């Protein structure tokens, strides 16, 4: 926080730094709405995953370290795991299995 205050104080003395600081503040203001909307949609998807979670397994009886949670769908048993799974996959840029290669080049 001190570095940010120093940057705002120094931009009063250096014109080029002032341009950079003002441009950065404008970009961050515009990105705020985008970040809010993205997080809102991620939370909505996490809730959908949790509500539509696995119906073929009993979440209470499945051990957490028995098998891969991706295969068993155990990650949708709790809301916290659903949040974690949704945010992890949003930030994961690997190509998922079963996705045609045509989509990757679009």
């Amino acid at each position: 926080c001190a570095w940010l205050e120093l940057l705002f104080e120094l931009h009063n003395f250096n014109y080029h730094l002032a341009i950079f600081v003002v441009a950065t503040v404008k970009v961050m203001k515009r990105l705020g709405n985008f970040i809010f909307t993205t997080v809102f949609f991620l939370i909505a998807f996490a809730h959908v995953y949790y509500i539509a979670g696995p119906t073929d397994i009993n979440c209470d009886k499945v051990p957490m370290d028995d098998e891969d949670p991706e295969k068993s769908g155990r990650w949708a048993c709790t809301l916290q795991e659903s949040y974690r799974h949704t945010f992890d996959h949003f930030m994961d840029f690997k190509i998922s299995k079963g996705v045609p290669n045509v989509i990757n080049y679009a």
Side-chain angles (χ1 to χ4, degrees), residues 44-57:
F45 274 106
H47 278 267
V48 169
Y49 288 146
Y50 176 66
I51 291 169
T55 58
D56 57 345
I57 64 170

Side-chain angles (χ1 to χ4, degrees), residues 35-54:
I35 291 170
F36 174 78
T37 306
T38 303
V39 170
F40 180 79
F41 279 117
L42 287 174
I43 289 171
F45 274 106
H47 278 267
V48 169
Y49 288 146
Y50 176 66
I51 291 169

Side-chain angles (χ1 to χ4, degrees), residues 4-103:
L4 191 59
E5 290 177 16
L6 177 65
L7 190 64
F8 277 112
E9 192 60 37
L10 288 178
H11 92 276
N12 292 327
F13 302 111
N14 188 343
Y15 179 72
H16 297 293
L17 185 62
I19 292 173
F20 172 75
V21 169
V22 169
T24 303
V25 168
K26 285 183 180 180
V27 167
M28 294 309 286
K29 283 181 181 177
R30 299 264 173 127
L31 280 179
N33 294 331
F34 171 73
I35 291 170
F36 174 78
T37 306
T38 303
V39 170
F40 180 79
F41 279 117
L42 287 174
I43 289 171
F45 274 106
H47 278 267
V48 169
Y49 288 146
Y50 176 66
I51 291 169
T55 58
D56 57 345
I57 64 170
N58 187 352
C59 292
D60 297 331
K61 294 184 179 180
V62 176
M64 291 304 282
D65 56 354
D66 184 30
E67 59 183 274
D68 186 23
E70 292 289 324
K71 293 179 184 174
S72 67
R74 214 178 40 238
W75 54 268
C77 287
T78 65
L79 188 57
Q80 182 180 7
E81 283 297 314
S82 180
Y83 281 143
R84 186 197 57 76
H85 179 80
T86 305
F87 279 88
D88 285 349
H89 279 273
F90 176 71
M91 298 306 287
D92 185 18
F93 297 107
K94 292 188 298 187
I95 299 170
S96 300
K97 295 178 184 175
V99 175
N101 287 333
V102 178
I103 295 174

